[in-house]
Amino acid sequence: MGVYAVGTAMSDRWLSVEEIAEYLGVSRDTVYAWIGKKDMPAHKVGRFWKFKADEVDQWVRSGKASEESDDAPSR
């Protein structure tokens, strides 16, 4: 029988595309686009994409999710 610290195991679990989209407040299509175009941290598990919230948080804080990080020239 395993022993888990309360709150630790669940907060560190892998999130699905649907869950990370809800977490960020964006659509699933946006998540898929960010994986391909903006190098969003995602891991393929079988045929499903999975995410660690802490990796995604760091990626967002680095500004890589912003529109300004696109290759479009700025004004």
Side-chain angles (χ1 to χ4, degrees):
M1 185 162 119
V3 177
Y4 299 98
V6 175
T8 302
M10 289 304 290
S11 64
D12 195 31
R13 72 181 184 89
W14 293 95
L15 301 176
S16 67
V17 170
E18 292 80 11
E19 290 169 323
I20 203 70
E22 182 177 336
Y23 178 72
L24 295 172
V26 299
S27 70
R28 292 183 314 167
D29 289 342
T30 298
V31 171
Y32 287 120
W34 285 350
I35 293 169
K37 295 179 182 175
K38 296 193 174 196
D39 204 24
M40 182 180 191
H43 306 269
K44 202 80 174 200
V45 178
R47 61 187 189 108
F48 300 104
W49 286 107
K50 297 292 182 179
F51 307 85
K52 287 290 189 180
D54 61 337
E55 292 177 355
V56 174
D57 287 342
Q58 185 177 10
W59 175 78
V60 169
R61 286 187 185 108
S62 72
K64 294 181 180 176
S66 71
E67 291 183 19
E68 294 174 6
S69 66
D70 287 339
D71 293 330
S74 60
R75 290 191 252 170

